[in-house]
Every structure is written in C-alpha cells, then in structure tokens.
Amino acid sequence: MSRDDLTFRDRAAFLDGAATLVVADAHVGRDEASSVEFPLGERSDLEDRLSALLRHFSPDEVVFAGDVLHSFSGLSADARASLRGLVGAVREADARPVLVAGNHDALLREAWDGPVRDEHRVGDAVVCHGHEEPDAEAALYVVGHDHPAIAIEGRKRPCYLYGEGTYRGADVLMLPAFNRLAAGATVNGMRTADFGSPLVTDADALRPVVYDRESHETLWFPPLGTFRRLL
C-alpha cells in the first residue's frame, strides 16, 4: 500500500483498496476537560463529521486509531454516550468498528464490549496509535498520537504527515486529531526529538499534507526539511 491508495478528508484517511476509514485521536470527553465548547457540542461535532465521512466513503470498516477516550481517570455518562454514538453511526452504515488502544485508553475496555487491539492489519498496512513501536511488519504504518498541524501564512491548519520509507523501510502516515478541541502541534519547526511517536525517525523527511475543506483539494507540500527553508 502506498500514498496512491490513500484519500484524505476532514482529518481522516481512507485506504481505498481495503475500503477502510481511519480516524485517530477522537479524545471522546475532551470537552469536559476544557473551558471551550463547540456551539453544537463535542458529541454532535464528532458524530456528525463521522457520519458525513461514512456517507462519502461507504467503508467496510472504520478503525479508531487510538486515544479514543480522553480521560485517564474516569468515564462520565456523557463520554460513554458519545462513544456509543460513534460506534452506532459506524454500524448503521453497515461498517465494522475496530478500536485500537492509545496511551489515553486505560478505560476503553470498560466503555466498549468488543475487542480492543494494540494494532490492526489492513492488507499490507498496520494501523496503530503510534505512542509505542508496533510488533507487526508492514509496508505502511498509519498512526496518530502527535496531533500534527501546520502554520501557513499565519493560519494554523490540521495536517497529515507522510514519510516515505522512514520507519523500518516502510512508509508512515500520521493523522491529525479527529477531535477539533485537541490542540494541534505546529510541526513547522519540530525536529525528530520533538515528536512523541517512535515511528518518527526523520522529521525532515515528513511531507505535510493538507485537506482543504472549501475546495476539497488535497495539497502535498515538500518535506519539512525543505519546507522550513521556503517559509
């Protein structure tokens, strides 16, 4: 699987050949830990945007790539309801939900009665959260964890990062946080050591990818090592 098999839309990635939609860092319950709230609320925002992606792509399965939950210490009734809403939307679209654990997901097994995985294979790709090294070998690793964003002409945008052959000779795709309340890490000046994921071995080789919600275009930028010199 390569970049040609990927389609990007609203902080998610669709693996075309496998009919699999991947979202990372939903951080359900993040609004309860914040003084900021969306006009429609976190639950409506997450569920509405996921439903729009399901209608657009009609996937066979949806993988939540870690940090499905936000809180380490407790799980509120609202957070449980939000998770049920997301899983319910997937099932209503006749797709299979797959939940992968991240570093925030100590309570995920309490909130979800299905299996919780450390990594999930999709063809020759492996989806994991990215906070620790995966066990499986793959041609492509799809991860989250670092919440990448990029600043262009004074405007900060969520972005994907794509590294060709940068981890164990395989490609790496890092997704932005699906939860819009999660602070994005501005990658413009970040070096390898600034990333939390061990799958980032050469930050300069990572290409920022921005999905423009207005034009529905996917914009590929030069690798960060080159991009910094252009700014």
Side-chain angles (χ1 to χ4, degrees):
M1 192 172 294
S2 69
R3 56 176 278 186
D4 294 332
D5 300 304
L6 300 168
T7 302
F8 303 101
R9 193 177 183 90
D10 192 13
R11 301 176 180 237
F14 186 65
L15 283 59
D16 295 323
T20 296
L21 180 70
V22 183
V23 297
D25 297 287
H27 283 278
V28 169
R30 177 68 178 84
D31 60 345
E32 297 171 344
S34 173
S35 59
V36 179
E37 186 173 346
F38 292 119
L40 297 178
E42 176 191 87
R43 179 179 175 182
S44 295
D45 183 75
L46 290 173
E47 197 171 322
D48 290 350
R49 288 169 48 234
L50 179 61
S51 294
L53 289 166
L54 290 165
R55 290 192 298 271
H56 182 80
F57 288 113
S58 298
D60 292 335
E61 69 176 9
V62 177
V63 184
F64 295 86
D67 283 5
V68 183
L69 303 177
H70 181 70
S71 176
F72 296 95
S73 57
L75 197 59
S76 70
D78 284 346
R80 290 177 184 271
S82 293
L83 180 58
R84 285 196 302 271
L86 292 175
V87 171
V90 173
R91 287 174 169 159
E92 287 175 14
D94 293 324
R96 181 169 68 103
V98 177
L99 274 60
V100 173
N103 53 300
H104 275 253
D105 289 322
L107 301 176
L108 186 55
R109 286 177 173 84
E110 295 182 22
W112 161 249
D113 57 6
V116 176
R117 309 181 183 195
D118 291 326
E119 52 195 51
H120 177 63
R121 180 169 292 281
V122 181
D124 60 358
V126 165
V127 180
C128 56
H129 182 57
H131 63 300
E132 56 189 16
E133 298 204 45
D135 292 327
E137 297 295 324
L140 170 67
Y141 293 94
V142 183
V143 304
H145 187 55
D146 275 296
H147 307 178
I150 194 162
I152 302 173
E153 296 180 345
R155 181 180 175 187
K156 184 175 177 179
R157 302 166 179 257
C159 75
Y160 308 80
L161 294 174
Y162 193 90
E164 187 173 349
T166 57
Y167 181 72
R168 299 178 183 171
D171 295 358
V172 173
L173 171 65
M174 179 178 286
L175 274 61
F178 191 62
N179 190 318
R180 294 195 288 174
L181 277 177
T186 305
V187 300
N188 297 56
M190 289 176 65
R191 307 295 178 177
T192 302
D194 298 322
F195 285 85
S197 175
L199 284 84
V200 176
T201 60
D202 182 4
D204 284 354
L206 298 176
R207 294 190 63 176
V209 183
V210 174
Y211 171 75
D212 190 304
R213 295 183 67 185
E214 296 177 1
S215 67
H216 300 296
E217 288 184 287
T218 298
L219 309 173
W220 287 79
F221 291 93
L224 282 175
T226 302
F227 188 65
R228 290 190 198 99
R229 298 193 294 269
L230 299 177
L231 293 175

